[in-house]
Every structure is written in structure tokens, then in C-alpha cells.
Amino acid sequence: MLQPYRVALLPGDGVGLEVIAEAVKVLEALGEVGGPTFRFQTGLIGGAAIDATAEPLPAESIAICNNSQAILLGAVGGPQWDTKRPESRPEQGLLQLRQRLGLFVNLRPVRVLDSMLPFSALKPDRVRGTNLMIVRELSGGIYFGNPRGIFAKNGERMGVNTEVYREHEIERVAHRAFQLARDRRKKVTSVDKANVLESSRLWREVVERVARAYPEVELGHQYVDSCAMALIDRPASFDVILTTNMFGDILSDECAALPGSIGFLPSASMGEQQYVYEPIHGSAPDIAGRGRANPIAAILSAALMLRYSFRLETEAQAIETAIEKVLKRGVRTAEIPGKQRPVGTSKMGDVIAAETQKVLKSARVRSR
Ligand code: IPM
Ligand code: MG
């Protein structure tokens, strides 16, 4: 791939703007020490886009995405847009982007580094060694199924949403999960509610079928309620968790309690071509604009972009190692408990950028 790499930035709303600025800082720091270089183009999404254009995902933003090799997204939403008609809420920008780009798989890695153990909501012995990957189906299920709406019937209104999964939708996301597991600890836990839902029964059947192509990977099934408990009870026992759009949304937020802050968790959304990288935390309107947000999830999302879109494994690992070192030194943002005075968003970005450069330089010295 020719450099500079072309990256679309969709910072969105709230803390999205602040954390994306830090991810960009770290990416640019790579180029300063002879690493890869990037060209950024910024577009609007979410509430910011509604304010400027009346649409949550304007055509210009789609054009910017189509003109890029990867997309880095911040967050969407905020209370000032909550009263808007449902079809023009900020979240629609994100949902439309997923649909337009055909992003059917969402990877949410959850790693609890030893340096994060003190922050975890769980006892260190429970959570130590946790390194799991949620593979969430992203373009189907109850998020998009029809019929949907609020209808009047017999003088009463009813709200309707429908969980729909077609075989090919289950198949393609399942393949991704097994392919990932092959390069990891070779274990897939497929999560459903097959004791109640027909869509889950089909899900299970298709996952079993796909599994036959991956004999080296062990497949287990678990109901979502039981999985929710096991994630707290023995999180380190999971490798790859394969699940639906809705269950994946819920379980991935639950997993944020494992490393102790949702500000640590990145994600990658993939389709056939374009990939979108974003922190899983939202726009956090309560702390937005105050320089308090943790940029680590956004910076880790940038690392995933280097890994999956640009095959820059050394640089991706350099960022991950740098973050581990910085946390070990006790550097923290305000939501992480600790003895040292918390640093602001921008300072955290500075420290990680500098450490990444150091890690990269010493990796080069070693490989000489
Ligand atoms: C997420 C978010 C989104 C989702 C919202 C903002 C639409 O919660 O990415 O997990 O539900 O998918
Ligand atoms: Mg969510």
C-alpha cells in the first residue's frame, strides 16, 4: 500500500472529538520516528452532522469514507438531540454507516493487562489473564429487522421490533469468528437464547455447520443469561465469543467492568471492504469538552487499524506495549482509581505518543 495511508476521521460528538485528536497524535508520532505516515480527512457524523446539515450521516461524509482506506470514528449522541424524531437521532448516523459500508462483524477485544488489575471491578484473581474477543454480528438482528415501529391496535399503542437472521448472515460472521479463533486459543463460544428464540435455534444450527470447516477449533454454545454470569465469574476462560447484534452490544459493555474502565476498550467493524475503528464508549456528554476523557480506547482502536487495515503489526504492538508501560507507571485519567494525580486527555495522548516512539525505536535496534 502506498503511503501516506488515507484515513477518514469521523470524530462525531462529545468526547469523540477529544479522543480522536489523541489517536491522531499517536499515529503522527509514528511518522516522526521514520514509521508510517497518514493523510487525514475529517467528516461529520451524529449530532454534529445533524446541526450542520440536518442529517446524521451526510453524503459528504460517505464520500470521505469511500475515498479512504480506513475510518476512525469517535462517538455519537448527546442529550441535546434526544428529543429529535427517531429517524434523525445521532445514533442513526452510526447505524447508517454500518449499513452503507456493509459492516457485518464487530470485533471487541477485551484484554486485562496486569497493569489494569488494580482498576478492575473484580478481584484480581478472577480477572487475571483475561484475553477474549467478542465477535458481534453488526448489520442484522433486532437492530434492523422488520416489522418495526410503534403501532396502534385496539385503542392501545404497541412497540414492535423483530429479530431476524438469515442463514448467510450467520454464516459469514461465524466464519470470521472461527478464523480468528484459529490464530488464538482455538475456542469459540457461540452465545444465543436457543431455549426460547427461533432465530437463535437457526443461529446455533448454522454455527455448527460452519464449525465443521474448522476441526481444530473447539465450539461450545451458551445461553446469553448464563454467559453474562460466566463473564463475571470466570472471564479468563473465554477465547472468542460469537454472538448476535443485541447480545453483543450488551455483553461488550458488561466486559468493560473487567479492565475497570470502558475507556480501555477499542473495536473494529468489518465488511467486505471498508473497516471502521472506534472506541466502544459513547460520547460521554457528562464529561465532554473538559479534557477528562480517557483516550486509550481510541488509541487502541487506531492500533487495531494498523493491524487489520494496514498489516502494520510492529507498530500496532508498539502502541499496545506503550499503553501498558504508561499504565504501569501509574499514569491515569480521572475515571481510573490510583494514587497519582490524574492527567487530562491531551496529556495522556502526549505520554503514550512519546512512549510509542521509544518502544518503536528499541524494537528496531533489537531487530537489527
Ligand atoms: C455500540 C453502541 C451503539 C449500538 C449505539 C450508539 C447505536 O451502543 O456501538 O455498542 O447499540 O450498537
Ligand atoms: Mg453499545
Side-chain angles (χ1 to χ4, degrees):
M1 247 181 245
L2 278 182
Q3 291 195 42
Y5 296 107
R6 283 174 284 116
V7 176
L9 302 176
L10 301 177
D13 306 319
V15 300
L17 295 134
E18 297 158 68
V19 298
I20 289 301
E22 301 315 307
V24 167
K25 188 187 280 177
V26 173
L27 289 172
E28 285 183 331
L30 299 173
E32 287 164 19
V33 291
T37 55
F38 303 88
R39 208 194 68 214
F40 300 104
Q41 245 192 314
T42 304
L44 293 168
I45 191 170
I50 293 174
D51 288 350
T53 71
E55 300 203 32
L57 184 66
E60 196 195 327
S61 298
I62 298 170
I64 291 174
C65 292
N66 286 335
N67 187 29
S68 306
Q69 294 160 300
I71 299 153
L72 205 50
L73 193 145
V76 297
Q80 64 270 51
W81 300 287
D82 272 352
T83 52
K84 286 273 154 68
R85 291 170 298 125
E87 59 280 13
S88 63
R89 281 180 64 107
E91 288 79 359
Q92 281 304 317
L94 190 54
L95 297 172
Q96 284 173 19
L97 187 73
R98 290 172 183 171
Q99 289 274 290
R100 291 291 294 257
L101 302 180
L103 306 173
F104 62 84
V105 54
N106 181 221
L107 307 184
R108 299 192 160 182
V110 181
R111 258 179 84 193
V112 182
L113 305 173
D114 280 350
S115 51
M116 295 172 182
L117 289 175
F119 320 136
S120 177
L122 304 185
K123 296 191 188 92
D125 283 348
R126 287 274 158 126
V127 74
R128 182 174 288 117
T130 296
N131 180 0
L132 60 85
M133 175 73 86
I134 296 185
V135 178
R136 169 189 178 192
E137 199 290 327
L138 200 63
S139 60
I142 198 167
Y143 271 56
F144 298 103
N146 284 307
R148 68 182 300 159
I150 299 177
F151 308 108
K153 199 174 176 184
N154 304 331
E156 190 184 28
R157 291 182 310 152
M158 62 181 186
V160 178
N161 290 93
T162 311
E163 169 98 347
V164 180
Y165 271 114
R166 292 172 187 82
E167 286 183 286
H168 80 273
E169 293 174 311
I170 306 168
E171 236 162 55
R172 62 187 181 184
V173 70
H175 276 292
R176 294 293 179 101
F178 284 100
Q179 284 156 8
L180 277 162
R182 229 170 21 190
D183 297 333
R184 295 173 49 101
R185 301 196 309 281
K186 303 188 173 41
K187 215 174 113 180
V188 170
T189 307
S190 174
V191 175
D192 61 37
K193 189 72 185 171
N195 50 347
V196 178
L197 305 176
E198 281 78 7
S199 62
S200 279
R201 267 177 235 152
L202 183 68
W203 177 277
R204 206 174 260 225
E205 193 187 308
V206 173
V207 171
E208 297 249 338
R209 194 164 75 209
V210 172
R212 284 186 218 128
Y214 305 87
E216 68 277 43
V217 178
E218 178 198 333
L219 169 66
H221 300 279
Q222 197 163 18
Y223 297 139
V224 63
D225 46 353
S226 148
C227 179
M229 178 173 65
L231 277 170
I232 301 299
D233 198 44
R234 43 186 167 82
S237 70
F238 288 96
D239 182 16
V240 172
I241 295 177
L242 164 64
T243 193
T244 62
N245 204 343
M246 185 72 175
F247 295 159
D249 179 46
I250 299 168
L251 295 179
S252 58
D253 268 30
E254 181 188 359
C255 283
L258 304 175
S261 168
I262 199 165
F264 287 139
L265 297 191
S267 81
S269 303
M270 303 172 167
E272 297 302 346
Q273 292 187 350
Q274 286 287 39
Y275 295 178
V276 175
Y277 301 87
E278 62 179 302
I280 86 159
H281 61 69
S283 58
D286 52 327
I287 58 164
R290 290 158 56 192
R292 293 188 50 183
N294 184 349
I296 289 181
I299 296 171
L300 284 172
S301 300
L304 291 182
M305 175 181 84
L306 299 180
R307 170 169 297 131
Y308 293 127
S309 282
F310 303 136
R311 306 278 160 211
L312 295 169
E313 183 59 32
T314 309
E315 288 77 5
Q317 272 183 33
I319 294 176
E320 289 164 353
T321 307
I323 288 173
E324 187 166 10
K325 289 189 170 194
V326 164
L327 289 173
K328 239 182 225 153
R329 289 211 304 268
V331 184
R332 63 184 186 101
T333 38
E335 93 286 5
I336 307 171
K339 290 195 207 82
Q340 288 179 36
R341 257 193 67 198
V343 300
T345 309
S346 170
K347 177 74 184 172
M348 183 59 110
D350 290 343
V351 176
I352 294 171
E355 191 64 44
T356 301
Q357 292 183 330
K358 258 168 72 184
V359 174
L360 208 53
K361 280 190 209 151
S362 64
R364 285 212 197 102
V365 171
R366 272 203 309 278
S367 67
R368 242 181 238 152

